Amino acid sequence: TSRRDKSMFVVPAKTAEGAVMVRVGLVQGCEKPINFKCSTPFEIKDKADTVFEGKPGAVYEINAGEGRVRVSDESGWSRSSSGFSIRPRNPEGCLMFFALATGKGNFWSGLQDRSFRGTIELSAADIGLGGFNVVNTVTLEEYLYSVVPSEMFSSWPMEALKAQAVAARSEAMRKLGRHKNEGFDFCPEVHCQSYYGVERETSTTRAAVDETCGIIMTYNGKPVDAIYSSTCGGHTQDNIFGDGTPIPYL
């Protein structure tokens, strides 16, 4: 089985009742068609709450025009609406998107195949922007399943991975809704936290997230701004951003 085939199935998350949900804006204003498939049967629901059955393994295309989003498959089936939600019916299923634009504005930008847990929401972009938007809705813990190995080598010691999980969870809770004016909580890039989807997940990093589930750092009863960097030169820093006002926990 190829690595790509394995990425089409996931280990279901240990979701607690009342779990925090987060929305990650994967693509905004996409003007070119995007293809996707799902490893299990799935549902496609339009804005009128009409549900259509999606076939496992079949390739579907998303495109947009005149303020509407269209989803179609190779057999000629096609539906259009101002928006859709797409969700695997099996908890082990996930949705793979082909040639997804990543790293916008960075030197590592390009097109990559990526798979995602949870629900995918499609909507027509604003008239001035054109195209369509793609947003991934997952629980906070599922989000961290991808963030932790995207921000730290999964081969590093378990206690380091657990510390990273706590820092990333604290950072997410502090900045939840950072992109609310754009219709989602976080972008998938380093501006928020790197979110590569299912491909980066490992059993070790999932365990680090599960073993720290719900744990965050707080100061005066609020989540701390747990900023971290890929390279610190061996030193931490106090607040050097904004107006430079000292932050006690930094």
Side-chain angles (χ1 to χ4, degrees), residues 62-216:
I62 307 164
N63 57 43
E66 300 180 350
R68 296 180 70 81
V69 181
R70 181 175 295 278
V71 178
S72 56
D73 69 10
E74 299 166 308
S75 71
W77 177 89
S78 179
R79 291 293 184 278
S80 117
S81 173
S82 58
F84 292 95
S85 66
I86 305 173
R87 180 179 65 85
R89 289 195 176 279
N90 189 314
E92 295 182 351
C94 64
L95 292 152
M96 171 177 277
F97 288 78
F98 300 100
L100 201 64
T102 61
K104 183 178 181 180
N106 297 292
F107 70 86
W108 60 81
S109 63
L111 301 176
Q112 295 183 4
D113 296 349
R114 289 190 179 179
S115 303
F116 300 97
R117 294 171 175 265
T119 301
I120 292 293
E121 297 177 16
L122 308 173
S123 62
D126 292 339
I127 295 176
L129 188 62
F132 60 92
N133 305 322
V134 182
V135 174
N136 182 204
T137 300
V138 291
T139 66
L140 175 58
E141 302 304 308
E142 290 174 312
Y143 172 67
L144 295 175
Y145 279 174
S146 176
V147 167
V148 171
S150 297
E151 294 282 6
M152 177 179 280
F153 291 110
S154 59
S155 59
W156 284 11
M158 175 57 80
E159 292 306 309
L161 295 172
K162 288 164 68 175
Q164 177 64 31
V166 173
R169 187 181 292 107
S170 304
E171 180 78 347
M173 288 299 293
R174 175 62 179 254
K175 294 179 177 175
L176 192 66
R178 193 178 195 186
H179 288 270
K180 65 180 180 181
N181 291 337
E182 298 166 76
F184 50 92
D185 294 303
F186 307 117
C187 69
E189 311 298 342
V190 294
H191 174 258
C192 291
Q193 297 186 79
S194 293
Y195 178 72
Y196 280 80
V198 171
E199 280 81 3
R200 289 292 178 93
E201 291 185 18
T202 70
S203 58
T204 305
T205 52
R206 282 194 299 270
V209 173
D210 289 342
E211 289 180 27
T212 62
C213 184
I215 299 175
I216 63 171

